[in-house]
Amino acid sequence: MPRTFHRDHFTWLAYLSLAFYAYFLNVLGPITPFLKEELQLSYTVSSFHFTAFAVGILLIGLGGHWLIQRIGRWRSLWIGAIGMSLSALLLLAGKIPVITIGACFLMGLIGSLILAIVPAALSEQHGELRAVALSEANMISSVVATAAPLMVGWFAHFIGGWRLALGIVALTPIFLFLGLGIDTSPTATSTNEELTQTNQPLSSLFWIYWLAIVLGVSVEFCMIFWSADYLEHVLGMVKANAAQAVSLFLAAMILGRMAGSRLVQRFSTHRVVIFSILIATFGFLVFWKTENVFIGLSGLFITGLGVANLYPLLLSLTIGAANGNTIQASARTTLASGTAILTLPLVLGRLADEVGIRSAYGVVILLLVSVFLISQIAGRNSLAQQNVPKV
């Protein structure tokens, strides 16, 4: 009989913690035009905010599994949440680029403990149903992340401006602790010894999927970080409206992940990934080639539908290829996300300074073609390993 998917106390805490992290990761794009204007920044310097966040993610990806094993999941999770909040408050108070960029670095460094813990914990807890858990976790994250550009655009019209969109949400860990702070699940209270898993090396298949994650996350954050600016300067939208329009992409990701969490129960994860890439490619071509605002927004929405499942499903496939070493695998997939966020938005921003934002956005097509090809290679390798006779 197939297992029944069960969401316990810790599952919900993991879902909401990841959503809290996703909000602050996704709010950076919509606030960038305001920071760029207030601090008189170039495209390249503006992109350093995401770059700094990504450097923090990279450091957690390299050493986060060691820290988590030393101090435990439960403590690491709350350090990540509280650290993210305090760093966000520093960002909203910053008046010079050194402070705002430094705050983004701390958000990425401390807050990304959440990103390293949650996939491993959900994968261990739900076993072969991890694709469902990870899809649901990322779906809820998308719901919360959609509020980020809406809040930035809405608060931009009031006293306090876009900074209120950070300050209010920074209070979230207080409510999470009051509602879910007392947890008794085995996953949350695992001892450090239980967290020290198999020493099996990560497989070559793991690293192929890891590269696919880099490419998939690159597409997602090139859209999140620069689409507001693209809509303003190429399609002529008002700055506040362009910032809010990013919610179309994020809303599409909600719908895509809702569908994805159901599709993976009927079709292979690999097949759903390939289908998602094709949808994303079609949507992006519509977004990129049009001169019409309505068609452009429609393309942005379709792109979001396709991009939605790239990260959670590639993550599920990657952890599944980790030879049971889920803590290290989860940290290394965090490294993949950091690599993507560090590299591609910065490259796109630099290209935009040189050739304009529209031409620079052609990078996204190259990324989608690449993730398609690498996913195909990974899928064939996975089938080949499954067909190897056991001795």
Side-chain angles (χ1 to χ4, degrees), residues 178-316:
L178 292 175
L180 298 166
I182 300 174
D183 189 272
T184 56
S185 77
T187 303
T189 56
S190 294
T191 65
N192 291 348
E193 288 74 21
E194 289 171 317
L195 289 169
T196 304
Q197 300 175 65
T198 175
N199 290 321
Q200 287 288 326
L202 297 172
S203 67
S204 59
L205 181 59
F206 170 90
W207 290 109
I208 295 173
Y209 279 126
W210 183 92
L211 182 56
I213 289 179
V214 172
L215 299 172
V217 173
S218 294
V219 173
E220 181 177 339
F221 283 94
C222 280
M223 299 304 298
I224 291 171
F225 193 82
W226 289 117
S227 59
D229 198 272
Y230 183 93
L231 290 168
E232 179 187 359
H233 290 98
V234 176
L235 298 185
M237 293 184 68
V238 175
K239 189 189 300 291
N241 293 340
Q244 289 182 310
V246 181
S247 287
L248 277 175
F249 180 82
L250 298 174
M253 291 186 69
I254 296 170
L255 296 177
R257 284 172 175 171
M258 287 176 65
S261 66
R262 300 296 178 266
L263 288 172
V264 292
Q265 297 180 55
R266 298 186 59 186
F267 304 100
S268 72
T269 303
H270 176 75
R271 184 175 298 181
V272 178
V273 167
I274 296 301
F275 182 62
S276 298
I277 295 170
L278 295 177
I279 292 175
T281 302
F282 171 75
F284 179 76
L285 287 172
V286 172
F287 170 76
W288 188 41
K289 292 297 184 179
T290 188
E291 302 287 344
N292 180 276
V293 172
F294 176 77
I295 295 175
L297 293 176
S298 299
L300 182 65
F301 182 83
I302 296 169
T303 305
L305 287 176
V307 169
N309 288 301
L310 296 186
Y311 175 71
L313 298 188
L314 288 170
L315 178 62
S316 173

Side-chain angles (χ1 to χ4, degrees), residues 136-200:
E136 288 190 349
N138 282 277
M139 178 191 69
I140 293 172
S141 294
S142 296
V143 172
V144 174
T146 301
L150 292 174
M151 290 180 70
V152 171
W154 189 67
F155 282 122
H157 301 292
F158 296 93
I159 296 174
W162 60 268
R163 288 175 171 82
L164 289 173
L166 276 71
I168 291 173
V169 180
L171 301 175
T172 298
I174 297 173
F175 299 103
L176 279 179
F177 186 79
L178 292 175
L180 298 166
I182 300 174
D183 189 272
T184 56
S185 77
T187 303
T189 56
S190 294
T191 65
N192 291 348
E193 288 74 21
E194 289 171 317
L195 289 169
T196 304
Q197 300 175 65
T198 175
N199 290 321
Q200 287 288 326

Side-chain angles (χ1 to χ4, degrees), residues 13-23 114-115 118-119 122 134 137-138 141 311:
L13 178 61
Y15 284 2
L16 295 176
S17 296
L18 190 64
F20 169 71
Y21 176 87
Y23 177 90
I114 297 170
L115 189 61
V118 168
L122 290 177
L134 292 172
N138 282 277
S141 294
Y311 175 71

